[in-house]
Each structure stands twice: as structure tokens, then as C-alpha cells.
Amino acid sequence: MTHPIRTAAVIGAGTIGLSWTALFAAHGLTVYVSDPRPDLAEAVAEALAAFGPHLAAQGLDTDGLAARVHLAADVTEAVRDADVVQENAPERVEFKKELFAQLVRQAPGHALLLSSSSAIPATAFTTDIEDAGRILIGHPFNPPHLLPLVEVVPGKRTTEESVQAAVAFYTAVGRTPVVERQEIPGFVGNRLQKALSRQAVYLVQQGVVTPEDLDTVVTHSLGIRWATVGPFLGAHLGGGPGGYRHITEHIGSSMQQMSLGEPSQEPEDQERVVQAVEKAYKSTPYADLAEARDRRQLAVLSALADIRRNQHQKEN
């Protein structure tokens, strides 16, 4: 897997695939995109126009971005000369089994085969594939051209060489890869997200807060803390000079006694939450909400990057 990566194939041009396409092209790769959607050309053009400013804000050269992106007639054409393939197909095991069997046959033997799967581990769809050593998960957070994390999750037959190649590739396109050494449905990020989401839904169902108030609680407390130091370092610092040990010994037992309710799965209860969220946010067009989200995320990323640069300058 020491072959230089110059050409990428993006299979599936939904929200994630279009974001990957823009990111890869902004890093100078030639990108071939395949998707059966009839509006593929329009979708790609709109995505590049929308994401270009985000990429430029990250210091990337977006001149000629569209010229590096090519529409492929089908998967075969997309992967013919690919050095890396990023799959973003439907989250169905059988579909991925068939698709990756095709990718192994039609992509060059050196090509790294990556899946954006959100919950399905690689082993689940590679058991019948002989050349499974170069297949693994590269799961991003949406949108991947903005959020740096990529969860790199090897399957049982993925080679260590492929893992290291994936880490090197994602690092080269400005992402922050984290290797997860055990396969678990949903991986790490989505499991954490689900845990918080379940409690958020429960609190809204119980009438403790509205969706807007809950979002305010997170964005004005945990969201800020976790964006800067994460939950473990946050807790360690919360313990003062005694650190994580102190906080565990002094408030750990009371936290353990806290009973976390389970949200109701009854359709009428779920519908009330849906209506509450719609009431809170439906008056603002989706595009405006997404633009505000991305602008804020860029601001956070920019601030963190400035801090890292200043720290690096101090150390050198």
C-alpha cells in the first residue's frame, strides 16, 4: 500500500459522498464520482459551489476544483484507475457485499477500499471476499469536508498495512483518523451520539425542557468543553489538582446513583418530540440552518487551529 494516491473514486453521491468529493478535489486529487441518480451533474456542481468557500476557509486552494472532478458512467469506470475508493452506498449488508465484491474485481490491485459505513462493520460484508485485506471502514462525521474525525476500523481480515495506509491517506487530506481496534456496531462516535440523543429525547418527552432549551444546554456547556478537551480530560480537569481520581472518589458514587430514564418508543410519544423539534426549527429554511451550523463549526475549527499553531510556535 505504498502506491502514491493521486486518483480517488467516490461511490455514492449523497450528502457524505459529495462532501468527500469536494474535500479530495481540494487536496489536488483527481476524483471520479459514480451514482445512478439522474441529477448527478447538478448535484456535484451545487456541492462544489457550496463547499468551496468552506474549503477555502481551511486554507485550501479551490481554484479549478470542478476541473478535478469527473462523472463516471458507472462503478466500473469510476474505479478503473483509482488509488483509493471511498464507498458511500446504502447502509445494507447485502448491498455492500455485492458492491465490494465488484470493487475488488474492478479496482486496481493496489487500491485501498474504504467504506463510509455508519454502523455496519467491515467483517459483516467481506466474509465471502477473497481479497478482503484492503477493505476497511473510514467512517466520517457529517460533513466530512468540515469535521476532521474519521474512524478507521479494520475488519478481521484487514491487513495492518491497509490500516496504516488509510491513516496516512486521511491525514494527507487534512482529517484526524482514529484507529479502533475492535469492531462494534455504530463504532465509537455514533454510540456516544446515540447515548446523548436517547437522554435528550427522554428529557423532552418528560417535559423537562424543550428541544431548543436542550440544544442551548449542550452548546453552552458540554459542547464547548468536549470540543476543546473531550469527556475524559474534561472530567480529569474537573477534579482539580486531584484529577480524575478525585472526581471519581468524591462525586462518582452520586453520579452512579442517578437514574437515567429510557425514552418511550411509543409512536405517539415519538411524534410529540418530532413536532416539538419542527416547532422549534421549521420556520427557518434547511439551507439557512445548515449554513449557520457550518459557519459556527468553521469558527470553532479555526479557533482551535490558531491555538495549536501558537502552541507549536512557543514550543519551537
Side-chain angles (χ1 to χ4, degrees), residues 153-239:
V153 191
K156 290 182 179 178
R157 296 163 58 205
T158 305
T159 66
E160 181 61 25
E161 184 182 16
S162 296
V163 173
Q164 295 308 314
V167 169
F169 167 64
Y170 287 126
T171 301
V173 293
R175 302 306 87 188
T176 302
V178 172
V179 178
E180 298 169 13
R181 292 297 179 177
Q182 291 188 37
E183 290 184 298
I184 188 168
F187 317 121
V188 173
N190 277 339
R191 294 178 75 89
L192 293 173
Q193 186 169 242
K194 182 177 180 180
L196 182 60
S197 178
R198 286 169 67 88
Q199 193 58 204
V201 170
Y202 172 77
L203 292 169
V204 171
Q205 284 181 344
Q206 295 298 308
V208 177
V209 287
T210 66
E212 287 174 295
D213 288 339
L214 191 133
D215 284 347
T216 298
V217 168
V218 173
T219 56
H220 287 70
S221 62
L222 295 176
I224 298 172
R225 179 181 295 169
W226 289 349
T228 53
V229 294
F232 275 116
L233 180 53
H236 182 61
L237 295 172

Side-chain angles (χ1 to χ4, degrees), residues 13 34-44 71-73:
S34 172
D35 192 295
R37 59 188 295 176
D39 65 338
L40 180 59
E42 293 83 356
V44 170
L71 306 184

Side-chain angles (χ1 to χ4, degrees), residues 11 58 62-63 109 111 125 143 153 165 168 227 259 270 274 290:
I11 309 302
Q58 297 176 60
T62 57
D63 288 342
F125 56 84
V153 191
S259 177
Q270 293 181 330
V274 170

Side-chain angles (χ1 to χ4, degrees), residues 71-87:
L71 306 184
D74 51 29
V75 171
T76 301
E77 180 181 325
V79 305
R80 182 179 296 137
D81 300 314
D83 301 310
V84 62
V85 178
Q86 185 78 47
E87 170 267 329

Side-chain angles (χ1 to χ4, degrees), residues 294-310:
D294 293 342
R295 183 161 24 88
R296 292 168 184 169
Q297 289 178 158
L298 274 169
V300 172
L301 291 169
S302 177
L304 292 174
D306 286 343
I307 291 172
R308 285 192 293 269
R309 279 193 294 270
N310 291 336

Side-chain angles (χ1 to χ4, degrees), residues 121-175:
T123 299
F125 56 84
T126 59
T127 52
D128 299 325
I129 297 176
E130 288 187 15
D131 188 12
R134 55 192 175 126
I135 301 173
L136 67 164
I137 302 299
H139 173 242
F141 261 53
N142 183 27
H145 74 279
L146 281 183
L147 297 186
L149 176 69
V150 182
E151 297 179 282
V152 175
V153 191
K156 290 182 179 178
R157 296 163 58 205
T158 305
T159 66
E160 181 61 25
E161 184 182 16
S162 296
V163 173
Q164 295 308 314
V167 169
F169 167 64
Y170 287 126
T171 301
V173 293
R175 302 306 87 188

